[in-house]
Coordinates of all heavy atoms in Angstrom, one line a residue:
M1 N 2.7 17.7 -3.7 CA 3.1 17.0 -2.5 C 4.3 16.2 -2.9 O 4.4 15.5 -3.9 CB 2.0 16.2 -2.0 CG 2.3 15.7 -0.6 SD 1.0 14.5 -0.1 CE -0.5 15.5 0.0
L2 N 5.3 16.2 -2.0 CA 6.5 15.4 -2.2 C 6.3 14.0 -1.7 O 5.6 13.7 -0.8 CB 7.7 16.0 -1.5 CG 8.2 17.4 -2.0 CD1 9.2 18.0 -1.1 CD2 8.7 17.3 -3.5
N3 N 7.1 13.0 -2.3 CA 7.0 11.6 -2.0 C 8.0 11.3 -0.9 O 8.0 10.1 -0.5 CB 7.2 10.7 -3.2 CG 5.9 10.6 -4.0 OD1 4.8 10.8 -3.4 ND2 6.0 10.3 -5.2
S4 N 8.8 12.2 -0.5 CA 9.8 11.9 0.5 C 9.3 12.0 1.9 O 9.2 13.1 2.5 CB 11.0 12.8 0.3 OG 10.6 14.1 0.4
T5 N 8.8 10.9 2.5 CA 8.3 10.9 3.8 C 9.2 10.1 4.7 O 8.8 9.0 5.1 CB 6.8 10.4 3.9 OG1 6.7 9.2 3.2 CG2 5.9 11.4 3.3
F6 N 10.4 10.5 4.9 CA 11.3 9.8 5.7 C 11.3 10.3 7.1 O 11.8 11.4 7.4 CB 12.7 9.8 5.1 CG 12.8 9.1 3.8 CD1 12.8 9.8 2.6 CD2 13.0 7.7 3.8 CE1 12.9 9.1 1.4 CE2 13.1 7.0 2.6 CZ 13.1 7.7 1.4
K7 N 10.8 9.5 8.0 CA 10.8 9.9 9.4 C 11.6 8.9 10.2 O 11.2 7.8 10.4 CB 9.4 10.0 10.0 CG 8.5 11.1 9.4 CD 7.1 11.0 9.9 CE 6.2 12.0 9.3 NZ 4.8 11.9 9.7
G8 N 12.8 9.4 10.6 CA 13.7 8.4 11.3 C 14.0 7.3 10.4 O 14.4 7.5 9.2
K9 N 14.0 6.1 10.9 CA 14.4 4.9 10.2 C 13.2 4.2 9.5 O 13.3 3.3 8.8 CB 15.1 3.9 11.1 CG 16.5 4.3 11.4 CD 17.2 3.2 12.1 CE 18.7 3.5 12.2 NZ 19.4 2.4 12.8
E10 N 12.0 4.7 9.8 CA 10.8 4.1 9.2 C 10.6 4.5 7.8 O 10.3 5.6 7.4 CB 9.6 4.5 10.0 CG 8.3 3.7 9.6 CD 7.1 4.1 10.4 OE1 7.3 4.9 11.4 OE2 6.1 3.6 10.1
T11 N 10.9 3.5 6.9 CA 10.8 3.8 5.5 C 9.6 3.1 5.0 O 9.4 1.9 5.1 CB 12.0 3.2 4.7 OG1 13.2 3.8 5.3 CG2 12.0 3.6 3.3
R12 N 8.7 3.9 4.4 CA 7.5 3.3 3.8 C 7.7 2.9 2.4 O 8.2 3.7 1.6 CB 6.3 4.3 3.9 CG 6.1 4.7 5.3 CD 4.8 4.2 5.8 NE 4.7 4.2 7.2 CZ 3.6 4.2 7.9 NH1 2.5 4.2 7.2 NH2 3.6 4.2 9.2
L13 N 7.4 1.7 2.1 CA 7.5 1.2 0.7 C 6.2 1.5 0.0 O 5.1 1.3 0.5 CB 7.9 -0.3 0.7 CG 9.2 -0.6 1.3 CD1 9.4 -2.1 1.3 CD2 10.3 0.0 0.6
M14 N 6.4 1.9 -1.3 CA 5.2 2.2 -2.1 C 5.0 1.1 -3.1 O 5.9 0.7 -3.7 CB 5.3 3.6 -2.8 CG 5.3 4.7 -1.8 SD 5.6 6.3 -2.7 CE 4.3 6.1 -4.0
F15 N 3.7 0.8 -3.3 CA 3.4 -0.2 -4.3 C 2.2 0.3 -5.1 O 1.5 1.2 -4.7 CB 3.0 -1.5 -3.6 CG 4.0 -2.1 -2.7 CD1 4.0 -1.8 -1.4 CD2 5.1 -2.8 -3.3 CE1 5.0 -2.3 -0.5 CE2 6.1 -3.3 -2.4 CZ 6.0 -3.0 -1.1
K16 N 2.0 -0.3 -6.3 CA 0.9 0.1 -7.2 C 0.0 -1.1 -7.4 O 0.5 -2.3 -7.3 CB 1.5 0.6 -8.5 CG 2.3 1.8 -8.4 CD 2.1 2.7 -9.6 CE 2.6 4.1 -9.2 NZ 2.4 5.0 -10.3
S17 N -1.2 -0.9 -7.8 CA -2.1 -2.0 -8.1 C -1.5 -2.8 -9.3 O -0.9 -2.2 -10.2 CB -3.5 -1.5 -8.5 OG -3.4 -0.6 -9.6
G18 N -1.6 -4.1 -9.1 CA -0.9 -5.0 -10.1 C 0.4 -5.6 -9.6 O 0.9 -6.6 -10.1
D19 N 1.0 -4.9 -8.5 CA 2.2 -5.5 -7.9 C 1.8 -6.7 -7.1 O 0.7 -6.8 -6.6 CB 2.8 -4.4 -7.0 CG 3.5 -3.3 -7.8 OD1 3.7 -3.5 -9.0 OD2 4.0 -2.4 -7.2
K20 N 2.8 -7.5 -6.8 CA 2.7 -8.6 -5.8 C 3.7 -8.3 -4.7 O 4.7 -9.0 -4.7 CB 2.9 -9.9 -6.5 CG 1.9 -10.3 -7.5 CD 2.3 -11.7 -8.0 CE 1.4 -12.1 -9.2 NZ 1.9 -13.4 -9.8
P21 N 3.3 -7.5 -3.8 CA 4.3 -7.1 -2.7 C 4.4 -8.1 -1.6 O 5.2 -8.0 -0.7 CB 3.7 -5.8 -2.2 CG 2.2 -5.9 -2.4 CD 2.1 -6.7 -3.7
G22 N 3.5 -9.2 -1.6 CA 3.6 -10.2 -0.6 C 2.5 -10.0 0.4 O 1.8 -8.9 0.5
A23 N 2.3 -11.0 1.3 CA 1.2 -10.9 2.3 C 1.5 -9.7 3.2 O 2.7 -9.5 3.6 CB 1.2 -12.2 3.0
G24 N 0.5 -9.1 3.7 CA 0.6 -8.0 4.6 C -0.5 -7.0 4.5 O -1.6 -7.3 3.9
R25 N -0.3 -5.9 5.2 CA -1.4 -4.9 5.3 C -1.0 -3.7 4.5 O 0.2 -3.2 4.6 CB -1.6 -4.5 6.8 CG -2.8 -3.8 7.1 CD -3.0 -3.6 8.6 NE -2.3 -2.5 9.1 CZ -2.7 -1.7 10.0 NH1 -3.9 -1.8 10.6 NH2 -2.0 -0.7 10.4
Y26 N -1.9 -3.1 3.7 CA -1.5 -2.0 2.8 C -2.6 -0.9 3.0 O -3.8 -1.2 3.1 CB -1.4 -2.5 1.4 CG -0.3 -3.5 1.2 CD1 -0.6 -4.9 1.4 CD2 1.0 -3.1 1.0 CE1 0.5 -5.8 1.3 CE2 2.0 -4.0 0.9 CZ 1.7 -5.4 1.1 OH 2.8 -6.3 1.0
K27 N -2.1 0.3 2.9 CA -3.0 1.5 3.1 C -3.0 2.3 1.8 O -1.9 2.6 1.3 CB -2.5 2.3 4.3 CG -3.4 3.5 4.6 CD -3.0 4.1 5.9 CE -1.9 5.0 5.7 NZ -1.6 5.8 7.0
C28 N -4.2 2.7 1.4 CA -4.3 3.6 0.3 C -3.7 4.9 0.6 O -4.0 5.5 1.6 CB -5.8 3.7 -0.1 SG -6.1 4.9 -1.4
Q29 N -2.9 5.4 -0.3 CA -2.2 6.7 -0.1 C -3.2 7.8 -0.2 O -3.0 8.9 0.3 CB -1.1 6.9 -1.1 CG 0.1 6.1 -0.8 CD 1.4 6.9 -1.1 OE1 1.6 7.2 -2.3 NE2 2.2 7.2 -0.1
T30 N -4.3 7.6 -0.9 CA -5.2 8.7 -1.2 C -6.3 8.8 -0.1 O -6.5 9.9 0.4 CB -5.9 8.5 -2.6 OG1 -4.9 8.4 -3.6 CG2 -6.9 9.6 -2.9
C31 N -6.9 7.7 0.2 CA -8.1 7.8 1.2 C -7.8 7.1 2.5 O -8.6 7.2 3.4 CB -9.4 7.3 0.6 SG -9.4 5.5 0.4
G32 N -6.7 6.4 2.6 CA -6.3 5.7 3.9 C -7.0 4.4 4.1 O -6.9 3.8 5.2
D33 N -7.7 3.9 3.1 CA -8.4 2.6 3.3 C -7.3 1.5 3.5 O -6.2 1.6 2.9 CB -9.2 2.3 2.0 CG -10.3 1.3 2.3 OD1 -10.9 1.3 3.4 OD2 -10.6 0.5 1.4
I34 N -7.7 0.5 4.3 CA -6.7 -0.6 4.6 C -7.2 -1.8 3.9 O -8.4 -2.2 4.0 CB -6.6 -0.8 6.1 CG1 -6.2 0.4 6.8 CG2 -5.7 -2.0 6.4 CD1 -4.7 0.7 6.7
I35 N -6.3 -2.5 3.2 CA -6.6 -3.8 2.7 C -5.5 -4.8 3.2 O -4.4 -4.4 3.6 CB -6.7 -3.9 1.2 CG1 -5.3 -3.5 0.5 CG2 -7.8 -3.0 0.6 CD1 -5.2 -4.0 -0.9
Y36 N -5.9 -6.1 3.1 CA -5.0 -7.1 3.5 C -4.7 -8.1 2.3 O -5.7 -8.4 1.6 CB -5.5 -8.0 4.6 CG -5.7 -7.2 5.9 CD1 -6.8 -6.5 6.2 CD2 -4.7 -7.2 6.9 CE1 -7.0 -5.8 7.4 CE2 -4.8 -6.5 8.0 CZ -6.0 -5.8 8.3 OH -6.1 -5.1 9.5
L37 N -3.5 -8.4 2.1 CA -3.1 -9.5 1.2 C -2.7 -10.7 2.1 O -1.9 -10.6 3.0 CB -2.0 -9.1 0.3 CG -2.2 -8.0 -0.7 CD1 -1.1 -7.8 -1.6 CD2 -3.5 -8.1 -1.4
F38 N -3.3 -11.9 1.8 CA -3.1 -13.0 2.6 C -2.1 -14.0 2.0 O -1.5 -14.8 2.7 CB -4.4 -13.7 2.8 CG -5.4 -12.9 3.6 CD1 -6.5 -12.3 2.9 CD2 -5.3 -12.7 4.9 CE1 -7.4 -11.5 3.6 CE2 -6.2 -11.9 5.6 CZ -7.2 -11.3 4.9
K39 N -1.8 -13.9 0.8 CA -0.9 -14.8 0.1 C 0.2 -13.9 -0.6 O -0.1 -12.9 -1.1 CB -1.6 -15.7 -0.9 CG -2.5 -16.7 -0.2 CD -3.2 -17.6 -1.2 CE -4.1 -16.8 -2.1 NZ -4.9 -17.6 -3.0
N40 N 1.4 -14.5 -0.7 CA 2.4 -13.8 -1.4 C 2.1 -13.6 -2.9 O 2.7 -12.8 -3.6 CB 3.8 -14.5 -1.2 CG 4.3 -14.2 0.2 OD1 4.0 -13.2 0.8 ND2 5.2 -15.1 0.7
S41 N 1.2 -14.5 -3.4 CA 0.9 -14.4 -4.8 C -0.3 -13.5 -5.1 O -0.7 -13.4 -6.2 CB 0.6 -15.9 -5.3 OG -0.5 -16.4 -4.5
D42 N -0.9 -12.9 -4.0 CA -2.0 -12.0 -4.2 C -1.5 -10.7 -4.9 O -0.4 -10.2 -4.7 CB -2.6 -11.6 -2.9 CG -3.6 -12.7 -2.4 OD1 -3.9 -13.7 -3.2 OD2 -4.0 -12.7 -1.2
I43 N -2.4 -10.2 -5.8 CA -2.1 -9.0 -6.5 C -2.8 -7.8 -5.9 O -4.0 -7.9 -5.6 CB -2.5 -9.1 -8.0 CG1 -1.7 -10.3 -8.6 CG2 -2.3 -7.8 -8.8 CD1 -2.1 -10.6 -10.0
L44 N -2.1 -6.7 -5.7 CA -2.8 -5.5 -5.2 C -3.8 -5.0 -6.2 O -3.6 -4.8 -7.3 CB -1.7 -4.4 -5.0 CG -1.0 -4.3 -3.7 CD1 0.0 -3.2 -3.8 CD2 -1.9 -4.1 -2.5
P45 N -5.0 -4.8 -5.7 CA -6.1 -4.3 -6.5 C -6.0 -2.7 -6.5 O -5.2 -2.1 -5.9 CB -7.4 -4.7 -5.8 CG -7.0 -4.7 -4.4 CD -5.5 -5.1 -4.3
S46 N -6.9 -2.1 -7.3 CA -7.1 -0.7 -7.1 C -8.0 -0.5 -5.9 O -8.6 -1.4 -5.4 CB -7.9 -0.1 -8.3 OG -7.2 -0.3 -9.5
C47 N -7.9 0.7 -5.3 CA -8.6 0.9 -4.0 C -10.1 0.8 -4.3 O -10.6 1.4 -5.2 CB -8.3 2.3 -3.5 SG -9.2 2.7 -2.0
P48 N -10.7 0.0 -3.4 CA -12.2 -0.2 -3.6 C -13.0 1.1 -3.3 O -14.1 1.2 -3.7 CB -12.5 -1.3 -2.6 CG -11.4 -1.3 -1.6 CD -10.2 -0.9 -2.4
E49 N -12.4 2.0 -2.5 CA -13.0 3.2 -2.1 C -12.9 4.3 -3.2 O -13.8 4.9 -3.6 CB -12.5 3.7 -0.8 CG -12.9 2.8 0.4 CD -14.3 2.9 0.7 OE1 -14.9 4.0 0.5 OE2 -14.9 1.9 1.1
C50 N -11.7 4.6 -3.6 CA -11.4 5.7 -4.4 C -10.7 5.4 -5.7 O -10.4 6.3 -6.5 CB -10.5 6.7 -3.6 SG -8.8 6.2 -3.4
K51 N -10.5 4.1 -6.0 CA -10.0 3.7 -7.3 C -8.5 4.1 -7.5 O -8.0 4.0 -8.6 CB -10.8 4.2 -8.5 CG -12.2 4.0 -8.3 CD -12.6 2.5 -8.3 CE -14.1 2.4 -8.3 NZ -14.6 1.1 -7.6
A52 N -7.9 4.6 -6.4 CA -6.4 5.0 -6.6 C -5.6 3.7 -6.7 O -6.0 2.6 -6.3 CB -6.0 5.8 -5.4
A53 N -4.4 3.8 -7.2 CA -3.5 2.7 -7.4 C -2.3 2.7 -6.6 O -1.5 1.8 -6.7 CB -3.1 2.7 -8.9
C54 N -2.1 3.6 -5.7 CA -0.9 3.7 -4.9 C -1.2 3.3 -3.4 O -2.1 3.7 -2.8 CB -0.4 5.2 -4.8 SG 0.3 5.7 -6.4
W55 N -0.3 2.3 -3.0 CA -0.5 1.8 -1.6 C 0.9 1.9 -0.9 O 1.9 1.9 -1.5 CB -0.8 0.3 -1.7 CG -2.1 0.0 -2.4 CD1 -2.3 -0.2 -3.7 CD2 -3.4 0.0 -1.8 NE1 -3.6 -0.4 -4.0 CE2 -4.3 -0.3 -2.9 CE3 -3.9 0.1 -0.5 CZ2 -5.7 -0.4 -2.6 CZ3 -5.3 0.0 -0.3 CH2 -6.2 -0.3 -1.3
V56 N 0.8 2.0 0.4 CA 2.0 1.8 1.2 C 1.8 0.7 2.2 O 0.7 0.5 2.6 CB 2.4 3.1 2.0 CG1 2.8 4.2 1.0 CG2 1.2 3.6 2.8
N57 N 2.9 0.0 2.5 CA 2.8 -1.0 3.5 C 2.7 -0.4 4.9 O 3.2 0.7 5.1 CB 3.9 -2.1 3.5 CG 5.2 -1.5 3.7 OD1 5.4 -0.3 3.7 ND2 6.2 -2.4 4.0
C58 N 2.0 -1.0 5.8 CA 1.8 -0.4 7.1 C 1.5 -1.5 8.2 O 1.5 -2.6 7.9 CB 0.6 0.6 7.1 SG -1.0 -0.2 6.7
Ligands
ZN1 ZN1 -8.4 4.9 -1.6

């Protein structure tokens, strides 16, 4: 599967567990689980559902 999912101007940023992408809503690329970071200093965890490490902001 390719990582190029450019639809119009909507660019999805990808993050990995351990990153500090800032407060916001993030979706697991593997299973679609949604997590929230409430502080800019929060660190992305591994997915609690599938243990994947790749997230996109949404
Ligand atoms: Zn997942």
Side-chain angles (χ1 to χ4, degrees):
M1 195 188 293
L2 294 173
N3 277 336
S4 56
T5 50
F6 290 99
K7 293 177 182 173
K9 283 190 171 182
E10 187 179 354
T11 306
R12 301 251 160 157
L13 297 175
M14 292 178 52
F15 303 98
K16 298 215 163 182
S17 58
D19 286 351
K20 292 183 188 174
R25 195 171 83 139
Y26 298 91
K27 183 168 82 171
C28 174
Q29 282 217 299
T30 302
C31 72
D33 202 37
I34 302 282
I35 63 162
Y36 294 88
L37 297 187
F38 297 103
K39 294 180 291 187
N40 286 336
S41 57
D42 280 350
I43 296 172
L44 272 177
S46 296
C47 178
E49 290 291 326
C50 71
K51 312 295 186 209
C54 288
W55 300 90
V56 291
N57 65 343
C58 62

